[in-house]
Amino acid sequence: VDSSLPALELAKENVVLNNIDPGRISFLKEDATEFMKGALLRNESWDIVIIDPPKLAPSKKVSIMAAIVMF
């Protein structure tokens, strides 16, 4: 589950590169928070959930500017 189509496409490429059966993996373009709320309503559960948080600083320039503002 990811809201970023490029991230999902990259994940699909990695499935192929790692010789993983693509039939065992599904990809969904959706906001993860909304997906999890829906899963709760559908009473879905999993053994493991891996969360990869979004970038806090989208670029080096933004990171540098944020650091300057903080000081």
Side-chain angles (χ1 to χ4, degrees):
V1 178
D2 202 308
S3 61
S4 167
L5 188 57
L8 292 171
E9 293 301 322
L10 185 59
K12 290 175 184 178
E13 289 176 22
N14 276 294
V15 166
V16 173
L17 290 172
N18 287 288
N19 297 316
I20 299 170
D21 178 7
R24 297 187 64 197
I25 300 175
S26 59
F27 299 92
L28 181 62
K29 184 180 182 302
E30 187 175 342
D31 177 81
T33 302
E34 295 304 315
F35 173 81
M36 293 304 287
K37 287 177 184 177
L40 182 64
L41 293 173
R42 294 185 298 273
N43 203 28
E44 293 178 350
S45 64
W46 301 270
D47 293 327
I48 298 174
V49 175
I50 300 170
I51 300 174
D52 180 17
K55 293 189 283 183
L56 298 177
S59 71
K60 187 174 182 178
K61 181 178 179 181
V62 171
S63 297
I64 292 169
M65 293 303 295
I68 291 169
V69 170
M70 288 172 44
F71 291 100

